[in-house]
Amino acid sequence: MALAHQPQQAVDQRELIKSIVAGNAVERRRAVSVVERMDAENIGEELRAVVADALKTEARKHVDQYFTGRRGEPTRELEDPTLVAALIRIVANLKDPSTIPTLSEGLGFGSTARAALWGLGLQALPATLAAALSPQTMHYAVDDALITLRFMVEAPVGGAPAGPDLADIRRAAAQHLSGRPYFTTLWNAIDLAVVLQDPELLEIVQRLATDRREVHARGIVTPHIVDRTLKHAADRLAGSPPLPRPPVR
Amino acid sequence: MTRDEAVGLELEHDTAPGTVVLSAVTISQDLSHTFHVPLTDPQTLPSATGGYFWRVEDGRNTLVVLKNMTDERQRYNLIVRHAEGQWVPGLRTLEPHQSVVLDVGLLRMTQQPDATGETIPMTVSSGQVHWSVGAGSDGRAIVGRIEQVDLVRSVSATYACPQPTNDIYVDSWMDPDYWGIVTGDTVPFAVWETDEDAFGGGPVGPYEITDILFWQSSNTAVAQVVGPGLVYGAGNGFTGIRASGASNGWEAYDPEGEDPENHVPIDLWGDAEVQWCEDQTRSVMKEEYRGGQVAWTPDCSDFTDSGGSTHFSWSELNGGFTNGNPHSPWSIVRTILTDGLEDTRTNYNRGGIQLTSGYRCPHGNANVGGVQQSRHMFGVAADMYSAQHQWTEEEFDLLRNAANLTNPDELFFWHTYTDHHLHAAW
């Protein structure tokens, strides 16, 4: 059917799809901005799929850059580093459980993906856990995954995690309380552990609150960060609520 | 003031002009007075203009009676002169065959203002009334007479002049001839005219002739004429506003020739400068959003000229007005940005945060190499470093973690930018 006979909405979305898939950086960004301003119910299936693919592509560029930098190799600035955030906003606004795998690739770029995953309830738990536990995840994304898991425990949507789900969440906290986690990851693991109120995990947090050697053993040696870690653990055990707080529904 | 209840008499005859003489008698409401009113044959005694004595005192009053003799709407100009000035109501209209009565005594008693707000002072009791047929092709379209009535002495007199000596055009101008218009507003341009009383009675006017002219805008994308003299600001820019047509007064008389049959061509120009906002700076900024293909156009009210927060000054939030936003003092800085920055600083707990970029106008964003649709242009993003500590990846992550606790919408990484600044948006 010729484009001229398509319903107006379909014609516009075809142009948007074309720009996102094949346009230059300016065209792509402008098209994404237009989609960002559309109501979720008006975004067709094809456009949704294109946005999801674009999110994954852009997120992977950042991940590749992260690991390249971690290896000490030179990195180049991405053409449009903030494009991924706009794509995450679009997918998050769809509030569609089928977007969970895509959203999990958006962890680490700000609060949008973690709020969206939390909002989808326990359906999002497997993907969030995978992000928290995978060695292929940037530490920024691990941090956001741990925060999301904490939200799921502190302010569950649709039903609180229990049984095997809770055990899996506990496992994520335990993994990042031990070994040599990045200091921000350790802090988020402490927060999750205290929220879980698991006795074994609390015992670890207690040691982290009082013994500098426990902090050093985890590879954190910068004095002010060690101090901060001790204080962070002590504050949580004393009942000071962790930040960020879960979103308000 | 004219009397709504004025009635005109028209009698038709089929004999040659001037062969029929008619008069009417009117009787006062109290039946104590009768008034003899001669009727005029406009083909022999046009009496289209006049300049007559008026008097209002001790029971005397003066009435001016005008009638449109044609099937077309006609314009007339009327002026009441007195020792202290003149009363000029401006161009008036008579519908086809309409009659109107102007009661000079009533005008004075009720202090009716003219087009410029002047009234006939109570201290004057006499002067001259003058009227003239205006815009249109027939200088004899209106017949008129003036009637002096003295109810105390029970006398009346009526005057008419057979010589249609209409006012002679002297000058016209546009005033105001410039408007600065905020887009969406409508403003009034106006054209004024002065004439000369052909009877030698002096100047007539100035009076407004706005609505007898044809108005145009030379760029309707900028401004549009929506009524005589009324100009609507449609876009952003500068355009000419033209008023053209013919004067109300007539061309000068040729002493050797016939009465003038033509008016004087008028072609006047004014200027309209339309801008989006009340001030030029915000208008320029708004135009940048429209012209730069940004997927959002702010309202004028989205721009503010002051603000800041406890630890982040207005200048800092605008790159010192040299980096990304030169439009001092105007900017777009949302509360969510300043709240996010203050909370980040609190969470960081290691002294100050140095901003290297806050709000950017679209041109400023392009100049600094910002991405299209950057949130910096929406007033919700900032680039930052620690103000007091060596900027290492560890320090970056401390600051980043502090920002992450405030639920930012965008937050990036150590390797995202080659200068390793922390970009956050809320």
Side-chain angles (χ1 to χ4, degrees):
Chain A
M1 189 161 52
L3 279 179
H5 297 285
Q6 293 281 357
Q8 184 60 39
Q9 183 179 324
V11 171
D12 291 342
Q13 296 202 22
R14 280 176 183 265
E15 288 302 314
L16 293 172
I17 289 168
K18 196 171 137 188
S19 292
I20 293 171
V21 170
N24 60 33
V26 170
E27 291 162 349
R28 184 166 55 243
R29 190 56 189 262
R30 177 146 178 82
V32 167
S33 294
V34 171
V35 178
E36 206 179 334
R37 280 164 170 73
M38 289 170 66
D39 289 334
E41 60 265 23
N42 291 335
I43 302 176
E45 287 304 316
E46 200 180 340
L47 182 54
R48 289 181 183 218
V50 162
V51 167
D53 284 345
L55 192 163
K56 290 176 195 166
T57 302
E58 292 302 312
R60 279 175 201 153
K61 288 179 187 173
H62 282 275
V63 172
D64 287 345
Q65 189 186 53
Y66 170 89
F67 283 109
T68 300
R70 284 269 159 182
R71 291 192 297 269
E73 296 167 18
T75 59
R76 285 196 318 179
E77 275 193 28
L78 300 178
E79 192 175 28
D80 190 350
T82 62
L83 174 59
V84 66
L87 294 162
I88 293 169
R89 287 192 289 268
I90 296 170
V91 175
N93 195 41
L94 297 174
K95 296 186 170 57
D96 180 357
S98 71
T99 66
I100 288 173
T102 307
L103 278 170
S104 69
E105 300 208 36
L107 286 168
F109 293 91
S111 64
T112 309
R114 68 188 185 216
L117 286 167
W118 163 80
L120 289 167
L122 289 177
Q123 299 174 92
L125 181 58
T128 308
L129 278 167
L133 296 169
S134 168
Q136 308 302 321
T137 309
M138 303 186 288
H139 77 266
Y140 304 113
V142 171
D143 290 353
D144 270 0
L146 291 173
I147 291 172
T148 308
L149 293 173
R150 174 166 61 80
F151 287 173
M152 289 177 174
V153 174
E154 277 189 289
V157 172
D165 289 342
L166 205 53
D168 286 337
I169 295 173
R170 185 198 169 282
R171 187 158 56 87
Q175 174 166 314
H176 294 296
L177 282 174
S178 58
R180 294 173 75 84
Y182 199 62
F183 68 88
T184 56
T185 306
L186 179 59
W187 294 351
N188 283 300
I190 289 170
D191 293 344
L192 179 56
V194 172
V195 157
L196 285 167
Q197 287 292 298
D198 177 271
E200 285 183 32
L201 298 181
L202 285 173
E203 198 182 314
I204 299 174
V205 176
Q206 180 63 43
R207 294 202 299 270
L208 285 167
T210 53
D211 191 344
R212 302 181 78 85
R213 292 171 299 179
E214 289 287 332
V215 180
H216 290 157
R218 284 158 176 79
I220 298 166
V221 297
T222 304
H224 70 90
I225 297 184
V226 172
D227 291 340
R228 205 145 168 167
T229 304
L230 290 165
K231 184 174 187 307
H232 189 101
D235 285 348
R236 292 300 161 267
L237 290 172
S240 168
L243 290 177
R245 303 308 302 143
V248 175
R249 284 182 69 87
Chain B
M1 180 180 290
T2 56
R3 289 184 177 174
D4 294 336
E5 65 271 24
V7 173
L9 290 179
E10 291 185 33
L11 294 132
E12 294 183 5
H13 64 92
D14 57 8
T15 56
T19 58
V20 175
V21 177
L22 289 169
S23 66
V25 174
T26 63
I27 303 172
S28 67
Q29 284 191 321
D30 63 4
L31 303 179
S32 62
H33 298 89
T34 60
F35 302 92
H36 178 237
V37 180
L39 302 187
T40 303
D41 183 340
Q43 294 192 50
T44 58
L45 199 70
S47 66
T49 61
Y52 305 97
F53 173 73
W54 69 268
R55 189 162 189 173
V56 176
E57 70 176 350
D58 298 334
R60 293 182 188 178
N61 194 12
T62 301
L63 305 175
V64 179
V65 184
L66 302 174
K67 180 174 175 58
N68 179 358
M69 298 302 299
T70 70
D71 296 330
E72 296 171 359
R73 177 184 287 177
Q74 299 294 335
R75 298 278 194 153
Y76 69 95
N77 207 3
L78 181 141
I79 178 173
V80 178
R81 296 193 179 102
H82 53 80
E84 295 180 30
Q86 55 187 16
W87 186 86
V88 185
L91 276 182
R92 293 284 182 92
T93 302
L94 280 176
E95 298 300 327
H97 300 280
Q98 182 189 2
S99 296
V100 68
V101 176
L102 186 88
D103 186 326
V104 180
L106 194 59
L107 280 180
R108 191 187 72 167
M109 184 176 76
T110 58
Q111 292 291 285
Q112 178 76 17
D114 70 2
T116 62
E118 295 295 322
T119 61
I120 302 173
M122 295 299 293
T123 50
V124 300
S125 60
S126 63
Q128 188 193 52
V129 177
H130 165 76
W131 70 82
S132 170
V133 176
S137 60
D138 187 350
R140 304 177 182 205
I142 296 176
V143 297
R145 63 183 176 85
I146 196 158
E147 187 164 325
Q148 307 282 0
V149 179
D150 188 335
L151 292 176
V152 172
R153 296 171 182 78
S154 300
V155 294
S156 70
T158 196
Y159 309 88
C161 176
Q163 195 75 12
T165 315
N166 291 305
D167 293 339
I168 300 167
Y169 170 83
V170 172
D171 191 17
S172 61
W173 61 95
M174 193 182 285
D175 179 23
D177 63 355
Y178 168 84
W179 276 99
I181 310 171
V182 176
T183 305
D185 283 354
T186 300
V187 298
F189 285 76
V191 171
W192 300 83
E193 180 177 319
T194 56
D195 301 331
E196 183 184 348
D197 181 345
F199 290 103
V204 177
Y207 59 94
E208 195 175 342
I209 59 166
T210 300
D211 61 347
I212 66 169
L213 298 174
F214 178 65
W215 290 80
Q216 297 167 286
S217 164
S218 53
N219 186 345
T220 55
V222 172
Q224 295 164 2
V225 173
V226 296
L230 293 176
V231 175
Y232 168 79
N236 191 54
F238 195 87
T239 187
I241 301 297
R242 184 183 188 190
S244 60
S247 64
N248 181 65
W250 299 78
E251 63 185 4
Y253 282 81
D254 176 359
E256 304 296 329
E258 300 291 325
D259 294 336
E261 295 181 346
N262 300 310
H263 300 275
V264 176
I266 287 180
D267 194 356
L268 296 169
W269 283 88
D271 297 311
E273 185 168 11
V274 186
Q275 54 187 26
W276 299 112
C277 309
E278 288 175 355
D279 57 270
Q280 181 69 7
T281 302
R282 283 188 290 166
S283 298
V284 165
M285 292 173 82
K286 180 163 172 158
E287 187 64 22
E288 286 184 23
Y289 283 85
R290 292 172 51 86
Q293 299 295 308
V294 181
W296 171 69
T297 301
D299 291 331
C300 297
S301 57
D302 286 321
F303 298 103
T304 51
D305 60 359
S306 62
S309 60
T310 306
H311 298 99
F312 300 95
S313 70
W314 192 239
S315 172
E316 218 178 341
L317 288 160
N318 286 281
F321 290 105
T322 59
N323 180 29
N325 178 25
H327 304 291
S328 174
W330 294 101
S331 178
I332 299 175
V333 173
R334 303 293 189 191
T335 306
I336 198 170
L337 171 60
T338 50
D339 285 352
L341 286 170
E342 290 291 344
D343 288 345
T344 296
R345 191 181 187 280
T346 301
N347 295 337
Y348 179 51
N349 198 25
R350 281 175 61 74
I353 294 176
Q354 178 196 5
L355 300 185
T356 53
S357 187
Y359 170 73
R360 300 176 196 154
C361 64
H363 286 180
N365 184 63
N367 287 341
V368 302
V371 298
Q372 288 278 325
Q373 320 302 334
S374 168
R375 307 274 277 183
H376 285 274
M377 295 187 287
F378 302 166
V380 296
D383 297 340
M384 66 196 89
Y385 295 86
S386 170
Q388 289 164 248
H389 300 281
Q390 187 183 358
W391 194 240
T392 61
E393 186 172 352
E394 198 171 74
E395 197 66 43
F396 174 96
D397 279 340
L398 277 167
L399 183 57
R400 185 190 186 279
N401 185 69
N404 199 26
L405 304 183
T406 68
N407 286 321
D409 198 41
E410 291 181 359
L411 198 62
F412 292 100
F413 318 123
W414 173 251
H415 290 291
T416 302
Y417 301 101
T418 52
D419 64 2
H420 304 301
H421 70 261
L422 175 63
H423 168 90
W426 287 267

